[in-house]
Amino acid sequence: MFAFILKRLGLALLVAFTVSFISFSLLFLSGDPAAALAGETASGEDVEALRRLYGFDRPMMVQYGDWLFSALRGDFGESYYFKLPVASLIAERLQVTMTLGVCGILFALATAVPLGVAAAIRPNSLIDRVALFLSVAGQAMPSFWFGLILIVVFAIQLGWLPPSGASSWRHFIMPTIVLGYYAMPAIMRLTRAGMLDVLNSDYIRTARAKGSGEMRVLFKHALRNAIIPVVSLAAVQMGFMLGGSIVVESVFALHGAGYLAWESIARNDLPTVQALILVFSMFYIVFTFLADVLNAWLDPRMRSA
Amino acid sequence: MTDIADPLSAEIQGPSPRQMLKSRALSHKGLIFGLSVVLLLVVVALFAPLLAPHDPYAQSLMNRMVPPVFMGGTWEHPLGTDHLGRDYLSRLLYGARVSLMIGAIAALISGVIGTAMGVAAGYFGGKVDAVVTFLINVRLAMPVVLVALAVVAILGGSLTVVICVLGLLLWDRFAVVMRASTLQISRRDYVAAAQVIGASTPRILLTEIMPNVFNNLIVIVTLEMAHAILLEAALSFLGLGVQPPTPSWGLMVSEGKNMMLFEPWLVLIPGAVLFVLVLAINLMGDGLRDVTAPEGRS
């Protein structure tokens, strides 16, 4: 187990290192970040001044090394737009995004697991069909459109919920539903498939044969085993969701890290964009690492991977 | 990885007789529905210039936000007009071209990259596999929407840029599934037999491996096409995808957003069409998987 964790940790660090290099070099795609920053109307002298001010005149690898070592110390430089340290800017905005992410995954689990279990208990029943319909529709639903429809219905027509902002828990209801619905189909399908698999296994037949009650069989014996892969999928989905919250945050004007990313991209605020790509990637890497360790802990067969 | 890899990595049996395949396909409601809708939209996209009642770019400030016919409008503009007086139906029809073209080409690019990587990893194993698996991990760690937005912002939004960015970002599922399928196939006796009689590696890959992983590949192509279409719409919605005045459904939702309070149909119509197209492609993909590999059905 210890060897597995060590090996997996090494891989995570290597991935993190590579991602950091990619997210840094992405912004050199334009060829000249100083010219991009100065804008089209700037004179040659202005561009030169900017280039020296931000150190773009140094070799790219030197700039990368510099950026990486500062980043490791938690210093992502200063935002071009806000003139504030990027790290504190992101830390402040992450609270909203993390709240949204946690609510979203809880919503997804709270709907997907019961539905998946119910669908597996009675395959091809009405509830199975409803669950299938919800998951197929969820995978095809453009989240920005779903969000706008919720706003039209619940904020404008019915007036039950505030359309945008993040000042109270009621502001988080619609974004949570939209983000959670995005993660629901995969979790539901896995729960259903896992339950079906387990319910056909010998030990369930044994449990029934020895006279255990149906509830006990389902929840004590079956769900416990079927839920193992679901937990790690949920961790992976959480990583994806934080990256995907950019769309949801912009629809509901939730001023979280995703919204910050969108604004910063539009404003050419390179240090903020670089830092945000890195931060979102790190979340994904940490969550998948935790998922793998959890899997290996619960199921020793996974440790050889 | 994702739930998609699992049923596909199940044992793949040899090609079933054509008749069985055909009858399974014809009795699969999801496949028939998905295929019909996709074909309909492909025809609409191809013949948009003939079908569209108006020029999708022609503005008319006298006829702004005319409601659709079912909300009291006239047949002159069956789905009404937008905030610049452009005919909504015509823009919708031309928008089908944008979505389908981006979906198809992006899926093609990512398919070539992902399949090459996945098949190489599955067949050669060892170091090649380690490198490919590592690259898949790196790719999955990068937030797609964020990276795509940043790259489009830097390079400037255009159809070509959006297609290339999506093509270069969405190869992960191809690589994961092709790696798993190739791994299965390359353990088969007929591959060993081909190796023993001295067949060259390219020959084995092309004549033994590829035909046997092809069914899985088609399924992933459809699913990734749907994925690319949704992402394009999201990028265009955020203003960093296809640029105006090009009629993209995501862009139409974004343009209608400001008038949502009084004219909700401006948002409802393009979004609903997008939903139906993606739903149809997904149903087609799921159907193809059920029909070509029925033993992998969950």
Side-chain angles (χ1 to χ4, degrees), chain A residues 84-114:
Chain A
L84 287 168
V86 172
S88 59
L89 205 60
I90 293 180
E92 189 194 315
R93 300 289 196 100
L94 262 182
Q95 292 174 357
V96 172
T97 302
M98 289 304 283
T99 312
L100 181 58
V102 171
C103 292
I105 199 72
L106 290 179
F107 175 77
L109 284 169
T111 50
V113 172

Side-chain angles (χ1 to χ4, degrees), chain B residues 63 82 101 147 165 273:
Chain B
N63 286 317
D82 68 3
M101 190 167 76
V147 172
V165 169
V273 182

Side-chain angles (χ1 to χ4, degrees), chain A residues 53-71:
Chain A
L53 178 62
Y54 290 116
F56 291 134
D57 49 350
R58 298 169 300 160
M60 188 184 146
M61 287 315 284
V62 175
Q63 293 184 50
Y64 170 63
D66 210 32
W67 178 75
L68 184 66
F69 278 105
S70 307

Side-chain angles (χ1 to χ4, degrees), chain A:
Chain A
M1 185 68 193
F2 184 67
F4 170 83
I5 293 182
L6 215 59
K7 206 175 140 193
R8 190 60 192 72
L9 193 64
L11 180 69
L13 286 175
L14 207 57
V15 170
F17 183 72
T18 314
V19 167
S20 78
F21 182 71
I22 295 174
S23 57
F24 180 80
S25 51
L26 265 183
L27 301 156
F28 283 78
L29 270 180
S30 61
D32 190 351
L37 191 63
E40 281 164 18
T41 53
S43 67
E45 281 165 36
D46 291 345
V47 175
E48 264 326 298
L50 267 177
R51 184 166 296 147
R52 252 171 293 140
L53 178 62
Y54 290 116
F56 291 134
D57 49 350
R58 298 169 300 160
M60 188 184 146
M61 287 315 284
V62 175
Q63 293 184 50
Y64 170 63
D66 210 32
W67 178 75
L68 184 66
F69 278 105
S70 307
L72 284 175
R73 280 184 275 114
D75 173 13
F76 289 98
E78 191 179 75
S79 156
Y80 294 165
Y81 179 81
F82 292 100
K83 309 289 177 205
L84 287 168
V86 172
S88 59
L89 205 60
I90 293 180
E92 189 194 315
R93 300 289 196 100
L94 262 182
Q95 292 174 357
V96 172
T97 302
M98 289 304 283
T99 312
L100 181 58
V102 171
C103 292
I105 199 72
L106 290 179
F107 175 77
L109 284 169
T111 50
V113 172
L115 262 179
V117 170
I121 294 174
R122 303 213 190 292
N124 291 322
S125 65
L126 181 68
I127 190 133
D128 189 15
R129 280 164 197 281
V130 169
L132 182 69
F133 172 79
L134 281 177
S135 97
V136 171
Q139 280 173 325
M141 188 74 84
S143 52
F144 59 92
W145 184 63
F146 186 40
L148 290 176
I149 291 184
L150 290 185
I151 292 179
V152 168
V153 175
F154 293 102
I156 298 176
Q157 302 284 343
L158 297 170
W160 291 352
L161 294 167
S164 61
S167 44
S168 80
W169 62 271
R170 295 174 65 231
H171 290 88
F172 281 92
I173 295 178
M174 291 194 290
T176 295
I177 293 174
V178 175
L179 196 61
Y181 194 28
Y182 168 78
M184 199 208 88
I187 297 178
M188 202 215 69
R189 285 181 176 209
L190 194 65
T191 310
R192 181 181 177 275
M195 274 303 269
L196 273 180
D197 219 35
V198 170
L199 286 175
N200 287 326
S201 62
D202 288 340
Y203 69 87
I204 292 296
R205 210 174 49 208
T206 310
R208 285 202 171 117
K210 76 176 185 186
S212 291
E214 190 60 24
M215 280 295 147
R216 197 180 154 86
V217 170
L218 284 178
F219 293 100
K220 181 149 187 291
H221 297 280
L223 187 60
R224 266 190 165 191
N225 284 288
I227 207 81
I228 295 176
V230 174
V231 173
S232 64
L233 176 70
V236 175
Q237 288 282 342
M238 177 85 186
F240 274 129
M241 278 163 72
L242 289 176
S245 72
I246 182 167
V247 177
V248 178
E249 285 179 23
S250 72
V251 169
F252 292 99
L254 274 179
H255 287 248
Y259 197 84
L260 178 66
W262 183 43
E263 292 175 308
S264 303
I265 287 170
R267 288 171 184 151
N268 249 324
D269 193 349
L270 303 188
T272 315
V273 177
Q274 282 173 328
L276 280 165
I277 294 180
L278 191 62
V279 167
F280 280 123
S281 304
M282 289 308 134
F283 274 117
Y284 179 84
I285 292 169
V286 169
F287 281 118
T288 44
F289 172 72
L290 291 178
D292 283 359
V293 171
L294 194 67
N295 249 345
W297 179 51
L298 294 169
D299 186 348
R301 284 171 301 178
M302 299 292 215
R303 289 175 205 170
S304 60

